[in-house]
């Protein structure tokens, strides 16, 4: 197979307007004992990427993939709100895969192990982010995350997550927030969430569910709040 190009991949539900998902996909492929993808260029809404890799055609279906690209979130008027250049490597097979994502712009690192990624996915993932300011490239940002750490394990039916980060937001300076929670495809339970800093000590917790209808049981504790 050579020089394959797909264009204007869209999704339409009933009489709703078409949602254009992908502008174009161009690649070269070879098929022998494995499927080899050479220089796949993907251009989609908010994403431009180049992919190379291969997939074995016999069990355990060895998979190797390398992606280099750019993810972008645009505002309503088309201006760039977030631009994230990244490199992603994946290796393993369809029983177990290891992922590594790096973006030097924010000091972002993601390391993850995926089990049964095609059938019943489960994961063990860690995320580190050095610094993220919002708005970007602003001399006086409204919001800054510093030293963000995320750990998450589980599956779609039973997962847990722990988040910890430094935080500057408006008058809140040199604060920290942390969240510990768990959930499934139908519920999220926040066992502990805190925001602490000079003049601030807040706690949150509760549960949100949406299996039959959306419901929430949340509580907040204000132990100290003085931003003067």
């Amino acid at each position: 197979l050579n020089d394959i190009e797909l264009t204007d991949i869209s999704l339409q539900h009933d009489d709703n307007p078409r949602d254009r998902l992908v502008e174009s996909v161009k690649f070269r492929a070879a098929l022998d004992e494995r499927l080899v993808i050479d220089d796949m260029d993907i251009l989609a809404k908010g994403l431009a990427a180049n992919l190379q890799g291969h997939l074995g055609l016999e069990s355990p279906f060895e998979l190797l993939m390398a992606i280099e690209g750019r993810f972008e979130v645009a505002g309503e008027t088309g201006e760039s709100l977030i631009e994230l250049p990244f490199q992603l490597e994946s290796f393993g097979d369809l029983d177990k895969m290891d992922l590594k994502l790096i973006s030097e712009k924010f000091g972002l690192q993601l390391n993850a192990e995926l089990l049964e990624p095609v059938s019943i996915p489960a994961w063990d993932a860690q995320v580190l982010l050095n610094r993220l300011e919002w708005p970007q490239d602003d001399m006086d940002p409204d919001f800054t995350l510093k030293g963000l750490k995320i750990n998450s394990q589980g599956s779609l039916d039973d997962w847990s997550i722990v988040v910890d980060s430094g935080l500057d937001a408006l008058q809140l300076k040199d604060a920290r927030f942390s969240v510990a929670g768990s959930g499934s495809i139908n519920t999220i339970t926040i066992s502990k969430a805190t925001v602490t800093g000079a003049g601030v000590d807040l706690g949150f917790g509760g549960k949100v569910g949406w299996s039959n209808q959306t419901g929430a049981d949340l509580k907040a504790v204000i132990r100290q709040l003085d931003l003067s």
Side-chain angles (χ1 to χ4, degrees):
L1 301 174
N2 277 305
D3 297 326
I4 300 171
E5 181 174 357
L6 306 173
T7 60
D8 195 17
I9 301 174
S10 303
L11 177 66
Q12 184 174 19
H13 179 66
D14 296 334
D15 295 328
N16 296 322
R18 292 173 57 198
D19 185 12
R20 191 181 191 186
L21 302 178
V22 178
E23 294 181 27
S24 66
V25 177
K26 303 176 184 178
F27 65 96
R28 295 180 179 180
L31 186 62
D32 191 2
E33 294 181 354
R34 61 184 184 179
L35 174 64
V36 179
I37 302 295
D38 184 25
D39 283 331
M40 174 183 284
D41 291 318
I42 303 170
L43 184 61
K45 184 177 181 180
L47 176 68
N50 176 267
L51 180 150
Q52 299 187 48
H54 68 253
L55 173 65
L57 300 180
E58 296 182 357
S59 182
F61 303 102
E62 179 187 55
L63 176 65
L64 176 66
M65 182 172 59
I67 302 175
E68 184 170 355
R70 185 186 75 256
F71 176 74
E72 184 176 8
V73 176
E76 294 182 358
T77 59
E79 77 280 13
S80 178
L81 299 179
I82 292 181
E83 184 176 338
L84 181 70
F86 67 89
Q87 295 175 314
L88 173 65
E89 296 180 352
S90 173
F91 55 91
D93 53 48
L94 295 188
D95 293 326
K96 176 184 174 182
M97 294 173 55
D98 290 309
L99 297 177
K100 183 176 182 179
L101 183 146
I102 296 175
S103 177
E104 294 183 358
K105 182 170 184 178
F106 302 115
L108 173 64
Q109 298 182 47
L110 180 149
N111 292 284
E113 179 182 89
L114 300 180
L115 300 177
E116 304 291 346
V118 176
S119 55
I120 308 174
W123 64 85
D124 183 355
Q126 300 81 42
V127 178
L128 300 176
L129 185 142
N130 183 35
R131 187 179 184 91
L132 174 64
E133 297 179 341
W134 186 268
Q136 286 191 79
D137 304 320
D138 195 305
M139 294 295 294
D140 190 20
D142 297 331
F143 182 86
T144 303
L145 294 178
K146 299 177 291 185
L148 173 69
K149 298 179 181 179
I150 302 174
N151 288 277
S152 179
Q153 297 84 29
S155 64
L156 293 176
D157 289 325
D158 183 13
W159 53 265
S160 64
I161 188 169
V162 176
V163 181
D164 183 76
S165 179
L167 171 66
D168 290 345
L170 300 177
Q171 294 176 292
L172 189 63
K173 304 297 182 183
D174 296 324
R176 295 205 67 83
F177 82 89
S178 62
V179 178
S182 60
S184 67
I185 59 174
N186 297 318
T187 62
I188 295 176
T189 299
I190 301 172
S191 55
K192 182 180 181 181
T194 61
V195 178
T196 57
V200 176
D201 189 354
L202 309 176
F204 307 89
K207 185 175 182 179
V208 178
W210 53 86
S211 55
N212 296 320
Q213 60 182 9
T214 302
D217 181 11
L218 303 173
K219 62 180 180 180
V221 177
I222 302 176
R223 289 178 283 269
Q224 184 180 14
L225 181 59
D226 182 4
L227 299 178
S228 59

